[in-house]
Amino acid sequence: MKVSVDRALCYGSAECAHRAPAVFAFEDGYGVVRPGRAESGDDPEVREAAEKCPSQAIVLGGAAE
């Protein structure tokens, strides 16, 4: 399952980078998915980060390509 961060919703809490540092990074004041990690939506840490994101900016869905 794919994971992405909706930059329009993200306000830079860095919760994602704290909860799943192998998948998310904090760059230019926003959370981002690390290169090559977009297929990590099934990872339990990623799912927790999505649930706990205060701005609900983490998007899970779709099949990994």
Side-chain angles (χ1 to χ4, degrees):
M1 181 183 308
K2 288 188 175 185
V3 60
S4 61
V5 176
D6 184 335
R7 197 166 176 139
L9 294 175
C10 180
Y11 59 74
S13 72
E15 276 294 315
C16 57
H18 171 72
R19 293 182 184 277
V23 176
F24 298 102
F26 191 66
E27 296 176 1
D28 298 326
Y30 296 96
V32 297
V33 177
R34 291 183 182 278
R37 298 307 310 247
E39 313 81 28
S40 300
D42 290 321
D43 183 317
E45 288 181 346
V46 172
R47 289 178 137 351
E48 180 181 358
E51 290 172 12
K52 304 291 184 181
C53 177
S55 63
Q56 297 298 292
I58 299 172
V59 179
L60 299 175
E65 294 178 357

